Amino acid sequence: MRITIVCDVLGEENNGTTVAAMNLIRSLKSKGHKVTVVCPDQNRRGQEGFVVVDKLNLGPLNGYVEKNGVTLSKASKKILEPVIAQSDVVHLLIPFALSNAALRLAKKHHISVTASFHAQAENITSHIFMKDFELANKIAYLQMYYATYRHCDAVHYPTEFIKDIFEGAVGHKTNAYVISNGVGERFKENGAEKPDEFKNKFVILFSGRYSKEKSHSVLIDAVSLSKHERMIQLIFAGDGPLKEKLKAESKKLSNRPLFSFFPHYQMLNVLNYADLYVHPAEIEIEAIACLEAIACGLVPIISDSKKSATKKFALDERNLFEANNPASLSEKIDFFIEHPDVLREYKERYRGMAEGYSQKACMDRMEQMLIDTAKKKHRYED
């Protein structure tokens, strides 16, 4: 099958959207499909299967957008049309200008279109300092719906949580496929030991992009309030625009946090030698990072934010803290430090939870969604 994947935002695999996109691309290629990726990532120029468009020039706003780690695409009909016209199905990743241009061309050529839902309204409104304004978020969802998702033949949601939020906000049902982005097979317990510098420390890990909605500051403040602050070592795995700000905030801690984007093999070891995983994010469609931690034997403490799907991975109240409340989080951290027997018990209780989120099984379901959709317009036959 000839599949075109349109990625308005694609870059290094240091954020959930790019990781999800690349996992899907690699999986479809491994199954023998001809996959063409249209994106603005200039580093992909000349790579087989990638068609690179120019970056969108926002004039005086370019610096602000780049500071937030985002590259937006310029919608070029000249580049898009020959690619779209030869497709059996077109899959959109983010409902921005490039995807919407591809959508219009696909409709012109009577080609099926699917789209994933990777951006909560707050991911957009936070850039204009309005993430807590419900009207602004509703308008963002309505814009997404009327410009993109209502025209798609199928919509992929990583969780039931975000499907319900979106459909409730816009007041319409979509042809929904709820499919997790999945946990890779490499994420498992491997017995890795702590490095010497952390031998006598209680290591707390959080994996997530350094951005406002991930709420790293809540974890930093919680550790500063802990009765065991001097023995806690924070590790923030990731990258992002708030790195220097978070480093400055963490100077009040006895042990400076480790900020690093780890290669895959190193990340696997960190997940295995850490003592606890904390996920303070206020806004989250699906925290695969949390599931990866659970798959490696870590017990999580998760924000109970109403705008985060991650809280569904909590076994009970010991795995939850009140959103954006450092004192609440500090109390939960101290409990597990002071009760290592309970921590071991929860580790056993969590064992096997991630097995239902096999990345291979999830990618098989994504492939089937694309096949089903292409067949509806007789673009593909088994």
Side-chain angles (χ1 to χ4, degrees), residues 1-3 28 33 88-91 110-115 152-155 175-179 362-382:
M1 189 163 63
R2 297 166 302 177
I3 304 167
L28 291 171
H33 298 291
D88 294 313
V89 63
V90 175
H91 183 66
H110 307 288
I111 295 166
S112 296
V113 180
T114 63
C152 295
D153 300 291
V155 180
N175 183 23
Y177 285 71
V178 179
I179 306 170
C362 294
M363 293 302 100
D364 287 347
R365 291 180 63 201
M366 288 292 293
E367 178 196 30
Q368 194 60 52
M369 177 189 75
L370 295 168
I371 291 172
D372 290 347
T373 308
K375 282 181 176 178
K376 288 178 181 177
K377 294 191 178 176
H378 309 288
R379 302 290 303 196
Y380 177 75
E381 294 182 3
D382 290 328

Side-chain angles (χ1 to χ4, degrees), residues 193-240:
E193 295 186 3
K194 291 179 184 177
D196 290 341
E197 63 267 31
F198 298 157
K199 286 289 186 186
N200 298 315
K201 300 287 190 294
F202 187 88
V203 176
I204 297 176
L205 170 67
F206 173 39
S207 180
R209 188 168 179 270
Y210 306 152
S211 56
K212 189 175 181 181
E213 65 268 21
K214 298 297 184 183
S215 306
H216 293 75
S217 297
V218 175
L219 179 50
I220 292 170
D221 290 344
V223 171
S224 74
L225 296 173
S226 170
K227 291 182 285 185
H228 308 282
E229 186 268 340
R230 289 184 175 278
M231 68 179 290
I232 295 174
Q233 174 65 54
L234 286 177
I235 298 180
F236 290 123
D239 201 357

